[in-house]
Amino acid sequence: MASPDAVAPFLENAYILDLFAGPGGLDVAAHMLGVPSLGIEWDRNSCETRYAAGLPTWHADVSAVRRDRFHELPKGLTVLAGGPPCQTYSVAGHGAGRKALKEVEGFIRALVDGVDDSAIDAQLDELHGDPRTALVLEPLRYAIKALTCPNRDGRPFDVIVLEQVPGVKALWDVYAEVLRAGLPGRGGERVRYNVAEVTTLQTEAYGVPQTRRRTILMARLLEHGTPRLPVPTHHTYKPRIPEQVGAEDTPTVVESGQTALPMTEFESPLRPWVSMGEVLEPAGRGTPFSVVSNYGSGGDPKMRGIRSDKQPAFTVTGKVSRNAVWRGDGTPHSPDRLTVPEAGILQTFPPDYPWSGGDQSQQVGNAVPPLFGMHVLAAALALGLPPEERLREQWPEVAVEDRATLRKEGCGVSDGCGPNCPKSVDQSPSRSSDSSRPRTGASAKRSEK
C-alpha cells in the first residue's frame, strides 16, 4: 500500500537530470515511474549501453558541461540527481576523499558563499592528487548554476536526490545544512530547501537481492514540503543470522545509532529479503549453488566470503565476473562465474537489458540498482511505486535508427563520438588528468557491506 506522501505528486512535469549516469540504473528507475530523464556520462562503454537501451544521454564530462554547456541543457529539467564517483571515499579505495573531508567541506561552504569558481578550481587541482575527490561538489555547483543561468531564468531545481557510499555522509550532512540555509540566487535572495535526514539505507530492505549500503540525500524546495525517506519493504540481511527472519521482527538498524523508519497504517508488513536463487533460477541458473566473493574479508585476501543461493548476493562490484559459482557439493557450477546478465539481475536490471560496449562487468558494478532507485525517486517525487515485477519484464527493444538518433543527440554525430565527447585516449582509468577521470573504478561500489 502506498505511503501518505505518494498520493499527492507535486510536480506536474518532473524531468530528471542524472549526473554521472552510468549505464542507466537511475534512468531505468525513472522509466518505470514514467518520468523522463537525461543522463550525463563520461564513460564511452556506459554510453553504448545507454544508447542501446534507448536512454537519452550526453557523452560528456559533467564538469565540462557545467562550465561550458550548461545553457544547452533542456529548460524543463526539474530534478537534479546523481551519484558522484565514490572510489576516493569508499573503504575499498585509496582513501584520498576520506582524508580530504574537511577540505571538501570548506569548498562546499565557499561555493555557497559565492567564492569564484576559478579560485576553487585552482585549489581543487591540488586536492590529494585525485581529481575524482572534487566531483562530489558537482551536484551543488549545478544547483547553484541553475539559479544564475539565463537559459533557466533563475529557476531552481525543484528536487535534489543524491546517493553515495557511507563515507560521504559527513559531506551530505554539510550539503543538507547549506541547502536548508539557502543557495545564492541571482538577485541576492536565498533559495532554500527542505531536506530529509541524511540516512544510510540497505538495498536489500527494498527488495534488491544484494547487500549494499548507500547514503541518501533528498531535498525539495520549501514550497513542496519535506521529503520522506523511502520506507523499507523487506527485512535486512544479518550475516550472523543468515536464515530468513520472521515477519514479526521490526525494521533493523541501517546505520549505527539509526533505525529504519517506523511502520504506519499505510504500509504493509515487511517481506523476507530476496535471495539470489529467487531471481537467478528463472534466468537459467540451477539451484542449489554458492557464490564465492571476489574480495577478502577482514583485510585478508585469502579469506573469501561465501553465500548460498538462499541468501542475497554480496555487493556487486566491477569485478563481479570473478565471483566463482559452486554447486552444492563444492564442485564448479556451469557457468562457473557469474555472467554479466546475471550480475545485472542481481542489480535488478531487466534480464534482457542490452549491456553493450566493453568492460560490462564494470558497468554493472557501477550502477545504481534500479529497484532501489525506484524507491528513492518515488519518495522524493511523492509518486506511487509500480509493481517491482516490471523490472523482470522484457526491456523495450530500440531500433537501430533510434539508437543513431540518440547518439547524434548525445555525441553530436550518429555514428561515433563528436567534438564534445571525451577523447578516446582519455578513457583510460590510469590517467590522472581531470579530463581522463573514470566515473567509477573496479572497486568503486565495494562499499561497506
Side-chain angles (χ1 to χ4, degrees), residues 249-296:
D249 293 333
T250 57
T252 55
V253 172
V254 294
E255 185 178 20
S256 178
Q258 297 181 356
T259 57
L261 296 176
M263 305 296 287
T264 76
E265 69 272 18
F266 293 94
E267 292 139 13
S268 302
L270 295 180
R271 290 175 276 168
W273 37 256
V274 179
S275 69
M276 289 186 282
E278 289 178 69
V279 295
L280 293 186
E281 186 175 19
R285 174 69 72 173
T287 57
F289 65 83
S290 296
V291 174
V292 183
S293 172
N294 64 290
Y295 47 84

Side-chain angles (χ1 to χ4, degrees), residues 28-42:
V28 171
H31 171 83
M32 294 296 173
L33 293 171
V35 179
S37 65
L38 170 66
I40 302 177
E41 175 52 45
W42 175 93

Side-chain angles (χ1 to χ4, degrees), residues 126-140:
E126 305 299 324
L127 194 61
H128 292 277
D130 195 326
R132 295 171 298 183
T133 299
L135 294 179
V136 75
L137 298 172
E138 285 299 334
L140 179 61

Side-chain angles (χ1 to χ4, degrees), residues 34-331:
V35 179
S37 65
L38 170 66
I40 302 177
E41 175 52 45
W42 175 93
D43 178 60
R44 182 178 64 252
N45 291 320
S46 294
C47 288
E48 293 292 345
T49 293
R50 294 179 60 88
Y51 294 144
L55 301 176
T57 307
W58 281 16
H59 180 200
D61 183 289
V62 165
S63 300
V65 170
R66 187 253 309 158
R67 288 192 302 266
D68 307 322
R69 300 177 59 198
F70 195 96
H71 62 283
E72 297 177 18
L73 291 169
K75 294 182 179 181
L77 291 165
T78 57
V79 181
L80 179 65
C86 64
Q87 305 98 311
T88 68
Y89 297 96
S90 170
V91 295
H94 296 295
R98 298 194 304 278
K99 296 173 185 175
L101 283 173
K102 285 297 180 184
E103 290 100 320
V104 177
E105 177 181 333
F107 291 131
I108 291 173
R109 299 186 188 283
L111 285 168
V112 174
D113 288 341
V115 175
D116 183 75
D117 267 351
S118 58
I120 291 178
D121 287 338
Q123 297 177 63
L124 287 171
D125 286 342
E126 305 299 324
L127 194 61
H128 292 277
D130 195 326
R132 295 171 298 183
T133 299
L135 294 179
V136 75
L137 298 172
E138 285 299 334
L140 179 61
R141 300 179 98 165
Y142 268 70
I144 292 173
K145 187 131 188 178
L147 301 175
T148 58
C149 179
N151 189 47
R152 291 183 62 89
D153 298 322
R155 187 170 183 270
F157 288 104
D158 293 85
V159 177
I160 299 173
V161 181
L162 305 176
E163 64 91 25
Q164 251 281 13
V165 296
V168 171
K169 183 179 185 302
L171 296 181
W172 279 176
D173 284 334
V174 180
Y175 257 68
E177 179 185 332
V178 300
L179 287 171
R180 291 184 181 113
L183 303 182
R186 62 179 178 179
E189 76 285 1
R190 288 280 168 174
V191 177
R192 298 174 60 204
Y193 288 80
N194 288 312
V195 187
E197 179 184 1
V198 176
T199 304
T200 299
L201 304 176
Q202 295 177 219
T203 59
E204 78 272 20
Y206 300 91
V208 178
Q210 170 198 169
T211 53
R212 191 184 194 100
R213 300 204 302 161
R214 283 296 176 270
T215 299
I216 303 298
L217 180 144
M218 295 169 48
R220 296 177 188 165
L221 286 175
L222 288 184
E223 63 199 73
H224 299 316
T226 302
R228 185 171 183 260
L229 287 166
V231 176
T233 53
H234 295 68
H235 286 284
T236 52
Y237 174 75
K238 302 175 183 178
R240 295 183 180 180
I241 311 175
E243 305 298 326
Q244 284 279 14
V245 294
E248 71 279 1
D249 293 333
T250 57
T252 55
V253 172
V254 294
E255 185 178 20
S256 178
Q258 297 181 356
T259 57
L261 296 176
M263 305 296 287
T264 76
E265 69 272 18
F266 293 94
E267 292 139 13
S268 302
L270 295 180
R271 290 175 276 168
W273 37 256
V274 179
S275 69
M276 289 186 282
E278 289 178 69
V279 295
L280 293 186
E281 186 175 19
R285 174 69 72 173
T287 57
F289 65 83
S290 296
V291 174
V292 183
S293 172
N294 64 290
Y295 47 84
S297 300
D300 185 351
K302 296 180 181 178
M303 298 291 291
R304 305 280 179 173
I306 301 175
R307 289 190 185 173
S308 77
D309 61 278
K310 299 186 183 300
Q311 298 168 315
F314 295 101
T315 300
V316 173
T317 75
K319 295 182 178 179
V320 65
S321 60
R322 301 183 185 182
N323 286 6
V325 186
W326 294 348
R327 299 181 188 277
D329 60 6
T331 59

